[in-house]
């Protein structure tokens, strides 16, 4: 039975590695074909990068699974490639070829003012003075955004509450051995988990603000979901010991905790699936 668990743990672990080896490939290809990276939130990538840094250092200090270390090293390499591409198409490519790139990190008012000034060049001055209204997101999008914020908070409270009960339930037969819990590595692991889970929020909010997912590859998030699920399964198949799971909990949370946000992005792809067609009309 133990050998079977070890086999499943390794199998899921290496499947996770395969997913993470190719996770950025669809987005890199999307950016290359469009010669534009405005669909990707820079804040999303920066949070992901810092999460990967904390993840690597914490994994080394905690002597975690080899698959975790391999993933952590490759994360940083892939992050660097994608961020370099974003920087190239936003700052270097426009200067070389005379094209313009909209800064996706701009706030709502800046984007709206740019759109308004563009429209004003096509309309009579008097009409603009009497009829101008600053564009806003739709009421449906505002309702969905409120639902997303509330459900995110409730999910985190529920998840952390259930986890605390599982690890520290007074009547549990196998108590957690806190002597194996190391402050520095666990702090880095928790910092990594928080950065991973919050990294999707800037991307989600940008999609809501623009009411579009144009320029974003859905397959990047598909591979991310599969990679995170198989990663969690590789840890759970190795052992269900409370102490072992508590030590690995920040890394489990950093993987499993992102699933809600990834599925929110999937919903946005469905919600704004016709936005690209509308923009061409």
């Amino acid at each position: 039975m133990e050998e079977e668990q070890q086999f499943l743990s390794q199998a899921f672990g290496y499947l996770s590695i395969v997913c993470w080896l190719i996770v950025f490939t669809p987005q890199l290809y999307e950016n290359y074909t469009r010669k534009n990276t405005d669909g990707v939130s820079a804040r999303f990538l920066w949070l992901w990068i810092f999460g990967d840094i904390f993840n690597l250092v914490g994994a080394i200090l905690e002597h975690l699974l080899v698959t975790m270390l391999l993933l952590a090293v490759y994360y940083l390499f892939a992050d660097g490639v994608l961020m370099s591409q974003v920087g190239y198409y936003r700052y270097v490519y426009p200067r070389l070829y005379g094209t313009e790139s909209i800064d996706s990190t701009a706030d709502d008012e800046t984007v709206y003012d740019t759109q308004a000034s563009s429209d004003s060049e096509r309309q009579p001055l008097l009409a603009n003075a009497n009829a101008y209204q600053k564009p806003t997101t739709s009421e449906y999008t505002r309702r969905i955004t409120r639902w997303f914020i509330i459900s995110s908070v409730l999910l985190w409270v529920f998840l952390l509450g259930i986890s605390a009960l599982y690890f520290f339930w007074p009547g549990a037969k196998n108590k957690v051995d806190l002597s194996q819990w190391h402050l520095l590595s666990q702090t880095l692991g928790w910092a990594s988990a928080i950065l991973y889970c919050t990294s999707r929020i800037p991307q989600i909010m940008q999609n809501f603000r623009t009411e579009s997912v144009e320029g974003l590859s859905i397959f990047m998030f598909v591979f991310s979901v599969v990679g995170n699920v198989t990663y969690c399964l590789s840890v759970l198949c190795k052992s269900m010991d409370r102490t072992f799971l508590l030590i690995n909990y920040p890394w489990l949370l950093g993987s499993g905790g992102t699933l809600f946000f990834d599925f929110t992005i999937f919903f946005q792809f469905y919600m704004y699936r016709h936005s690209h067609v509308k923009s061409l009309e």
Side-chain angles (χ1 to χ4, degrees), residues 10-260:
Q10 292 182 355
F12 283 125
Y14 287 115
L15 179 58
S16 178
I17 289 177
V18 170
C19 290
W20 287 110
L21 286 174
I22 58 178
V23 67
F24 286 137
T25 304
Q27 188 62 54
L28 290 169
Y29 179 75
E30 179 80 11
N31 296 341
Y32 174 75
T33 55
R34 298 181 75 249
K35 300 294 187 293
N36 188 293
T37 58
D38 292 334
V40 182
S41 169
R43 294 189 182 98
F44 162 51
L45 295 181
W46 279 118
L47 288 172
W48 201 335
I49 288 174
F50 283 113
D52 286 340
I53 293 174
F54 287 125
N55 176 48
L56 176 59
V57 177
I60 293 174
L61 293 176
E62 199 60 75
H63 305 290
L64 298 183
L65 298 176
V66 176
T67 53
M68 297 181 182
L69 295 176
L70 292 175
L71 281 173
V73 172
Y74 182 75
Y75 288 163
L76 287 177
F77 170 76
D79 291 341
V81 173
L82 183 56
M83 183 56 79
S84 297
Q85 190 188 46
V86 170
Y88 174 76
Y89 282 121
R90 289 190 182 179
Y91 304 109
V92 179
Y93 187 84
R95 295 179 181 178
L96 293 177
Y97 298 97
T99 59
E100 294 184 358
S101 176
I102 299 174
D103 185 2
S104 65
T105 63
D107 58 26
D108 293 357
E109 187 172 356
T110 301
V111 174
Y112 292 148
D113 288 347
T114 302
Q115 293 172 341
S117 63
S118 177
D119 292 342
S120 65
E121 296 176 358
R122 305 186 184 93
Q123 299 177 358
L125 182 60
L126 183 59
N128 277 341
N130 295 329
Y132 170 70
Q133 292 182 346
K134 186 171 69 173
T136 58
T137 54
S138 67
E139 178 61 29
Y140 179 67
T141 291
R142 289 197 294 271
R143 288 201 306 268
I144 293 296
T145 304
R146 289 193 292 268
W147 174 87
F148 165 72
I149 295 172
I150 294 172
S151 58
S152 298
V153 173
L154 293 177
L155 176 68
W156 272 92
V157 171
F158 174 79
L159 186 60
L160 294 177
I162 290 296
S163 300
L165 289 175
Y166 175 77
F167 289 121
F168 304 109
W169 182 255
K173 294 181 180 180
N174 300 320
K175 301 291 185 180
V176 172
D177 183 8
L178 292 178
S179 64
Q180 299 184 41
W181 194 87
H182 305 117
L183 179 60
L184 179 57
S185 57
Q186 288 292 314
T187 301
L188 292 171
W190 276 98
S192 172
I194 293 172
L195 288 168
Y196 279 149
C197 292
T198 57
S199 66
R200 270 68 167 176
I201 295 177
Q203 184 65 62
I204 290 171
M205 298 309 294
Q206 175 178 310
N207 297 344
F208 277 138
R209 174 171 56 83
T210 61
E211 296 189 338
S212 172
V213 290
E214 187 177 359
L216 202 61
S217 172
I218 190 174
F219 292 104
M220 177 173 68
F221 297 96
V222 170
F223 287 126
S224 175
V225 167
V226 177
N228 281 325
V229 170
T230 52
Y231 172 80
C232 291
L233 289 174
S234 71
V235 176
L236 297 176
C237 286
K238 186 175 179 62
S239 176
M240 290 297 293
D241 177 72
R242 274 185 168 83
T243 301
F244 174 79
L245 292 179
L246 180 63
I247 293 173
N248 286 272
Y249 186 71
W251 289 270
L252 285 170
L253 183 64
S255 294
T258 63
L259 295 177
F260 169 78

